[in-house]
Amino acid sequence: MHLSLDGFCEVVQKSSRKNAEKALSILWYFDQDQPGVAKTAGQLTKVLDDHHIGTPNQTALAGAIRNTKLANESRSGFSLKP
């Protein structure tokens, strides 16, 4: 069963995770449809805000994602590490 982005965000919204962990969850969602996809901190912030999951500052979110060491960073954005 494949959840829509809205449905997935509802599940993520119910968690007590930090914004960076929620953003990585969203990145995972997109990676399931398109492996290796990259999203910028700004794009992830927009999804979090649009779906009322959180309202992180994109600069702070980028730093927090870097600190998790779970994503690679390139010019095109963050992508999950294999």
Side-chain angles (χ1 to χ4, degrees):
M1 180 175 160
H2 182 74
L3 283 174
S4 67
L5 179 58
D6 288 335
F8 185 76
C9 286
E10 284 181 31
V11 172
V12 172
Q13 184 180 28
K14 293 175 185 174
S15 77
S16 60
R17 303 285 181 184
K18 295 179 181 180
N19 284 327
E21 293 165 332
K22 291 178 180 180
L24 287 169
S25 296
I26 299 301
L27 188 56
W28 175 86
Y29 175 86
F30 286 113
D31 190 70
Q32 295 306 296
D33 284 335
Q34 186 181 3
V37 69
K39 296 285 184 185
T40 65
Q43 291 170 320
L44 293 169
T45 299
K46 182 166 177 21
V47 173
L48 294 176
D49 189 40
D50 288 351
H51 293 278
H52 310 290
I53 299 171
T55 54
N57 171 290
Q58 78 181 44
T59 303
L61 181 63
I65 292 172
R66 281 185 207 104
N67 287 339
T68 68
K69 300 184 186 333
L70 296 173
N72 293 317
E73 185 176 14
S74 66
R75 286 183 181 212
S76 56
F78 292 99
S79 59
L80 293 177
K81 288 185 176 181

